[in-house]
Amino acid sequence: MNAIKKRILGAVTVMNENDAQTLWNLITKTFGTNWENVKEDTPDDWDLQMLQEIKSNPECHEFVFEDDAMKELGLA
């Protein structure tokens, strides 16, 4: 995964619901809703490593509520 994708994922992670909706609207306006215009990308070594971690690490199956994540990151 390249640096810009990491930044986007990080931003989405801490967005409130309204900001996420605004971003979603921009994505669907730009790319449509059926994803025909989105080019499929082959996973790189980092992506494959993350997918393997998801399968094998039980901590990857733990979820945190948005409010708790914001507090933990010092953003609330």
Side-chain angles (χ1 to χ4, degrees):
M1 182 180 311
N2 65 30
I4 191 67
K5 289 180 183 179
K6 289 178 189 176
R7 289 175 53 197
I8 291 169
L9 287 175
V12 170
T13 301
V14 297
M15 278 183 183
N16 65 40
E17 199 64 32
N18 289 334
D19 292 342
Q21 184 64 55
T22 299
L23 179 59
W24 183 250
N25 293 342
L26 175 64
I27 290 169
T28 58
K29 181 179 177 185
T30 303
F31 299 106
T33 56
N34 58 10
W35 308 109
E36 288 178 1
N37 299 327
V38 177
K39 179 185 161 236
E40 187 170 330
D41 202 6
T42 304
D44 60 14
D45 289 339
W46 176 259
D47 296 327
L48 295 171
Q49 191 176 21
M50 285 193 314
L51 292 170
Q52 183 58 41
E53 183 80 5
I54 290 168
K55 290 178 185 176
S56 62
N57 185 343
E59 290 185 8
C60 289
H61 299 274
E62 296 177 13
F63 297 94
V64 178
F65 289 104
E66 177 185 358
D67 292 341
D68 295 336
M70 297 290 277
K71 288 176 189 170
E72 190 173 319
L73 294 169
L75 300 172

